[in-house]
Amino acid sequence: MSVSIATLQRTLKIIDSSKLFQGVVIAVIVISALLIGAKTHDLPTHLVDLIHILDVSITVFFAIEIVIRFLAAENKPAFFKKGWNIFDTIIVIGSLIPDGGSGVLLARLLRVFRVLRLVSMVPELRMLINALLKAIPQMGYIALLMFVIFYIYAAIGSIIFHDINEFLWGDVSVSLLTLFRVATFEDWTDVMYETMAVYPLSWIFYLTFIFLTAFIFLNMMVGTVLEVMSAEHELERASSHGESAEEGEPASRAQVDALQQQITQLQHMLEQQQKSNR
């Protein structure tokens, strides 16, 4: 009995790790995304029925796929310690909610999120998301500093430009929205020229704000993300070469094998020399 279970697990593991199976899963995810978009259009009744059948088939396929992945895992408890496995399981279980009744909105939303399973299936996309999540704490300090600069400029703008246009500079909260418009370059020159008609040197206010936010802080955020992505690439490369993540210059698995082979050859040569000396 245990032999048959072990054989089944090996078979499922082969299926789960095969490129063909992963390609089929990605194709089904893409089809699921297309069906979600098709549902937003006014379609004939026969096409609506066909889409419903396909949607049910995709839901069943995803349920079978997650079961295969779970049974193929050697350590079952460790399967749910990975965030992507938990995410896929929640999406699949949520998709099993009937598309009707009081849970119709929840069921539709969870079916929309099935498209995100494409991220969990493609290693490159997973690496990008992991890098973004790891960069968030560092980006948070930059965002906090940006908010301080936004708040200072909003307070100055509200004090100086309040009488020029109360709709744009009436108070600090409205001034923050106006500055966000300036930072995104959405017709910001109209705002600047309006204040320059009263205060000719007000262009200094806008240019210094844009220089700080759009150039310095934005580039700092981009640099932070790129730094984390570079670290993620290095970890992925090290993992693919069997390297450790410990301090120092780790040796790759190929280097270790080569050293072991050299040690074996030296031992063999010493044995031959000892025999000849006898």
Side-chain angles (χ1 to χ4, degrees):
M1 185 68 179
S2 59
V3 176
S4 61
I5 294 176
T7 304
L8 177 61
Q9 185 178 16
R10 284 196 299 270
T11 303
L12 294 177
K13 190 173 183 179
I14 293 172
I15 295 174
D16 180 48
S17 59
S18 66
K19 296 293 184 181
L20 178 61
F21 181 73
Q22 294 177 1
V24 171
V25 174
I26 292 175
V28 173
I29 293 173
V30 173
I31 294 173
S32 175
L34 295 176
L35 292 180
I36 292 171
K39 288 182 179 180
T40 61
H41 296 276
D42 293 329
L43 300 174
T45 305
H46 65 280
L47 286 180
V48 173
D49 295 337
L50 177 61
I51 290 176
H52 178 71
I53 294 173
L54 290 175
D55 185 71
V56 173
S57 302
I58 290 173
T59 302
V60 173
F61 175 82
F62 282 151
I64 296 174
E65 181 256 342
I66 201 71
V67 170
I68 290 176
R69 287 173 53 188
F70 176 74
L71 295 177
E74 296 181 358
N75 190 353
K76 300 297 187 294
F79 179 83
F80 292 106
K81 291 182 180 179
K82 295 182 179 180
W84 290 112
N85 291 337
I86 296 174
F87 173 78
D88 290 342
T89 304
I90 292 174
I91 295 300
V92 171
I93 293 176
S95 300
L96 297 176
I97 299 175
D99 192 3
S102 58
V104 59
L105 180 60
L106 178 61
R108 290 179 178 178
L109 288 176
L110 288 173
R111 280 169 170 78
V112 170
F113 281 108
R114 284 194 310 202
V115 183
L116 286 175
R117 291 208 57 211
L118 188 64
V119 177
S120 65
M121 293 301 301
V122 181
E124 288 77 10
L125 294 179
R126 287 202 307 267
M127 185 177 60
L128 290 176
I129 297 298
N130 290 334
L132 180 60
L133 292 176
K134 290 182 179 180
I136 287 177
Q138 301 180 40
M139 293 171 61
Y141 293 106
I142 301 175
L144 179 60
L145 184 57
M146 284 185 65
F147 175 77
V148 172
I149 299 300
F150 262 83
Y151 189 84
I152 292 173
Y153 273 82
I156 295 174
S158 180
I159 293 171
I160 299 177
F161 307 136
H162 178 274
D163 296 332
I164 298 176
N165 191 332
E166 188 174 354
F167 180 76
L168 296 178
W169 306 100
D171 51 47
V172 173
S173 59
V174 174
S175 298
L176 285 172
L177 292 175
T178 303
L179 289 176
F180 184 78
R181 170 183 171 181
V182 174
T184 56
F185 302 108
E186 181 63 28
D187 293 334
W188 70 277
T189 53
D190 295 340
V191 180
M192 181 181 68
Y193 291 145
E194 184 181 34
T195 58
M196 284 181 63
V198 180
Y199 299 102
L201 295 179
S202 62
W203 59 270
I204 300 175
F205 173 86
Y206 297 98
L207 293 187
T208 54
F209 174 76
I210 290 175
F211 180 79
L212 287 173
T213 57
F215 296 149
I216 295 181
F217 292 122
L218 183 60
N219 286 331
M220 287 174 65
M221 284 196 170
V222 172
T224 300
V225 174
L226 290 178
E227 182 181 358
V228 176
M229 286 183 61
S230 177
E232 284 294 308
H233 275 289
E234 182 62 23
L235 287 175
E236 184 70 20
R237 184 200 64 80
S239 177
S240 62
H241 288 80
E243 298 178 358
S244 63
E246 299 175 355
E247 296 181 356
E249 234 6 88
S252 67
R253 185 174 300 169
Q255 292 172 335
V256 172
D257 293 340
L259 289 173
Q260 290 179 346
Q261 186 176 3
Q262 291 176 4
I263 292 172
T264 303
Q265 291 177 354
L266 288 173
Q267 289 176 346
H268 182 70
M269 290 174 61
L270 289 173
E271 291 176 357
Q272 293 292 333
Q273 187 175 3
Q274 289 175 356
K275 289 180 179 179
S276 62
N277 291 334
R278 291 175 184 175

